[in-house]
Amino acid sequence: MTLESWKQKIPLMSADHLDQLTKRVDQLRHKQIIYPSRKNVFSAFELTPFQAVKIVLIGQDPYHSPNLAHGLAFSVPNGMKTPPTLRNIFQEVSNDLGHTSKPETDLTRWAIQGVLLLNSTLTVTHGEPGSHRNIGWQTLTDQVVKKLSKYHNNLVFLLWGQHAKSKADLIKDFDHLVLESAHPSPLSAYRGFIGCKHFSKANSYLKRYGKTCIQW
């Protein structure tokens, strides 16, 4: 799988900007531990082609501990201990839909159904959350949100937490469903995420517009 479908629609993915970002991160890798691995940085885009996107789920940056980040927001490879935030997401799936989410912590199964698991920043330094927020990723991912909003009809945007909610202004002039709540982390999940019913609301919206529902 490649990034070609994205490069055709996202100017910053086909321009020097992407090469410069990749080179800058590669330089950092020589002296720091960076997550995810180079091969997984663009996994969200590779698994969910531009034209296949139905839902955009926005995270902040990758997990900053070993063996967790693999290019999909909130997801970790199967076999790893479920992070508390992902555990709360699964709990809300269960509460909302009346069934337990599949045990796999790897959310590739969502991505291939059209859920873009987009972190605003695509890389991070070991043990330093937010460490790459100023190197240029957010300019790129902001453009991704804008272009998805412009070129698609009736997408669902899931904005959990203040960072994700800040993206709402990139969407507001288009006809999409924007669902906002508290972040699913243990610090805030019970301030509005648990009980938000975003999974059933998203599927109802997709069904209304003739799109296949997500098997959460």
Side-chain angles (χ1 to χ4, degrees):
M1 290 176 279
T2 69
L3 300 176
E4 288 309 311
S5 70
W6 290 94
K7 289 180 178 179
Q8 292 169 13
K9 295 292 187 181
I10 312 298
L12 288 179
M13 292 188 78
S14 59
D16 290 341
H17 183 82
L18 194 63
D19 289 337
Q20 291 171 2
L21 275 173
T22 302
K23 288 177 182 177
R24 186 169 183 182
V25 174
D26 284 345
Q27 290 171 353
L28 291 174
R29 290 186 191 276
H30 290 305
K31 52 188 177 181
Q32 301 174 1
I33 299 173
I34 306 294
Y35 306 123
S37 65
R38 195 180 197 277
K39 68 177 183 179
N40 287 329
V41 170
F42 300 106
S43 292
F45 302 102
E46 293 170 347
L47 289 168
T48 312
F50 185 91
Q51 64 274 12
V53 175
K54 300 176 186 175
I55 294 176
V56 183
L57 176 50
I58 299 177
Q60 190 161 347
D61 56 10
Y63 294 107
H64 54 89
S65 300
N67 304 316
L68 297 181
H70 66 141
L72 304 178
F74 300 106
S75 176
V76 300
N78 290 331
M80 302 304 298
K81 183 178 179 181
T82 306
T85 294
L86 185 56
R87 191 181 310 122
N88 287 335
I89 291 171
F90 288 160
Q91 180 182 333
E92 179 57 22
V93 170
S94 179
N95 294 348
D96 184 10
L97 302 179
H99 65 76
T100 302
S101 181
K102 291 183 179 181
E104 294 95 339
T105 56
D106 183 337
L107 300 182
T108 294
R109 66 184 187 279
W110 293 2
I112 62 177
Q113 294 180 76
V115 182
L116 181 66
L117 296 164
L118 179 67
N119 277 319
S120 295
T121 301
L122 300 188
T123 55
V124 70
T125 297
H126 170 78
E128 299 180 25
S131 51
H132 292 193
R133 63 182 178 273
N134 294 321
I135 71 171
W137 287 125
Q138 298 216 35
T139 303
L140 172 64
T141 56
D142 279 359
Q143 187 174 86
V144 167
V145 172
K146 287 180 180 178
K147 295 299 184 181
L148 283 168
S149 301
K150 179 178 180 180
Y151 289 115
H152 278 274
N153 294 317
N154 310 122
L155 293 178
V156 180
F157 289 85
L158 301 179
L159 308 182
W160 300 339
Q162 292 304 314
H163 181 83
K165 290 176 186 178
S166 71
K167 306 293 187 188
D169 284 345
L170 304 174
I171 307 161
K172 66 180 181 182
D173 295 329
F174 301 94
D175 186 18
H176 304 291
L177 177 64
V178 179
L179 297 174
E180 300 183 6
S181 79
H183 194 275
S185 73
L187 294 175
S188 57
Y190 286 91
R191 300 177 189 168
F193 176 77
I194 299 298
C196 69
K197 298 188 180 299
H198 281 184
F199 302 99
S200 60
K201 290 175 181 177
N203 274 349
S204 294
Y205 185 81
L206 294 178
K207 186 176 181 180
R208 186 188 319 159
Y209 289 97
K211 300 182 181 184
T212 304
C213 294
I214 305 299
Q215 298 298 314
W216 300 105

